[in-house]
Amino acid sequence: MLKFIAIFICCFVSGCSYWWGKQDANEQQFYHRINEAYDFEVTHCDSFAMARGKGRGAHALQEAKNQAMKYAEKLNGTHIVWLHIDQGEVVKVVAVIYKCQQ
């Protein structure tokens, strides 16, 4: 009986850690400190860099955008405007990074 309880606890703990780890990964995928915008929304902002991203597979577009957004965040940009999206076998995106006064 004690073995059964120990196995149950191990399975429960590993299942919970898997579920919570997966939950955190999904949240990180959707949260960004940079805002996607249209060009008319950033007329009062300074453009200062370009960002690129590439993606493959089922979520290629989101992967490519995430790469570009992470780069923009690293440069302390506040907004990103997508210039070009090439949806071939490898999805490629190009964007302008802006810094806007808050």
Side-chain angles (χ1 to χ4, degrees):
M1 182 69 175
L2 188 58
K3 260 187 184 178
F4 176 73
I5 292 172
I7 291 172
F8 175 77
I9 290 173
C10 288
C11 290
F12 179 76
V13 170
S14 64
C16 288
S17 63
Y18 171 77
W19 187 82
W20 284 110
K22 192 170 184 161
Q23 190 82 356
D24 290 342
N26 289 340
E27 286 177 21
Q28 289 174 356
Q29 180 181 6
F30 294 115
Y31 175 75
H32 290 284
R33 291 174 298 207
I34 194 159
N35 299 302
E36 293 181 86
Y38 293 104
D39 55 352
F40 66 86
E41 296 175 300
V42 291
T43 56
H44 63 285
C45 305
D46 296 324
S47 64
F48 67 95
M50 300 287 288
R52 290 174 168 52
K54 291 181 184 178
R56 293 179 183 267
H59 304 287
L61 179 58
Q62 191 60 46
E63 181 182 331
K65 284 185 171 186
N66 282 343
Q67 281 180 8
M69 291 173 81
K70 284 179 185 177
Y71 178 70
E73 289 173 353
K74 190 184 289 188
L75 296 178
N76 294 319
T78 59
H79 292 74
I80 191 165
V81 175
W82 304 111
L83 292 180
H84 183 73
I85 298 174
D86 180 14
Q87 294 204 28
E89 184 176 320
V90 177
V91 174
K92 299 175 187 173
V93 297
V94 179
V96 178
I97 305 169
Y98 290 85
K99 186 159 208 144
C100 302
Q101 296 298 324
Q102 303 293 9

